[in-house]
Amino acid sequence: IIVRKPAGISGTAVSELAYDQRGIILTGSSTRLGSSTWVEIYAPTGGTGWVNFWYLTEDVPPARFCEDLRVNALLETFVSGLINHDGETLTRVVNPKRGLILRHDWWNPEVLYSTSSVSSIYSDLSEIDWGVLGGSDFHILGSFREIILPQLEDVFLISPEVKCNEMIAGVTTQVAVWPREFDNMNFYVFHRPSPEGGNKYDWRTWAIGIEYVENQPYISVLIQYRGDI
């Protein structure tokens, strides 16, 4: 992330932050430029500079995150909304700053639902390009309800295996990893294993990335992992 002065993409680059930089301290000053919010930080090389707030997240140590009972309640609310196809419930648990980022597969492009569009996610039948099937040029096209919802229900409507900040995956042709760009984001994993004695590639995992906004946890990212790719 480029640190600029003054704020804005036309500002002079005065420093740079690593993608996994921690311990960034804000000065308390911020400014709105178009649709973006820029915040002033103490630059690691000294002095101050400005960065786009979109690229920052509150720094919560992994151990503290995994012990936070509010996160458990957040995830229970998410599952309740999923079971009832309730967009308003989903809106309450989604990051009010970032909205909801979805990936059909961890290596496919992101689909972003703004905070204002999350409430209609179950009823909106607009066709979306979710990326391509692994090893092919075949595009995955369809609405959230048609493409993503059945794959979420395949995991969350059973009793999946659950881990905090640890990936669970079955046999796969591609390594299942939490994306590097989200290294500083804590996450929970929900895994439906392959059936005993069945197709070893028939498993599915959903990872839920969670961020804190003003010390309150919210869901920011949903990423799917599968063995049939």
Side-chain angles (χ1 to χ4, degrees), residues 56-76:
L56 300 184
T57 186
E58 291 184 27
D59 194 352
V60 179
R64 194 176 88 196
F65 168 77
C66 292
E67 295 173 355
D68 191 343
L69 297 180
R70 295 176 301 166
V71 175
N72 297 335
L74 177 81
L75 293 169
E76 289 174 2

Side-chain angles (χ1 to χ4, degrees), residues 104-105 107-108 131-140 173-174 226 228-229:
H104 186 277
D105 303 281
W107 40 266
N108 259 321
V132 297
L133 289 176
S136 77
D137 295 323
F138 180 79
H139 279 257
I140 306 163
T173 57
Q174 298 193 40
R226 302 175 295 148
D228 55 349
I229 54 176

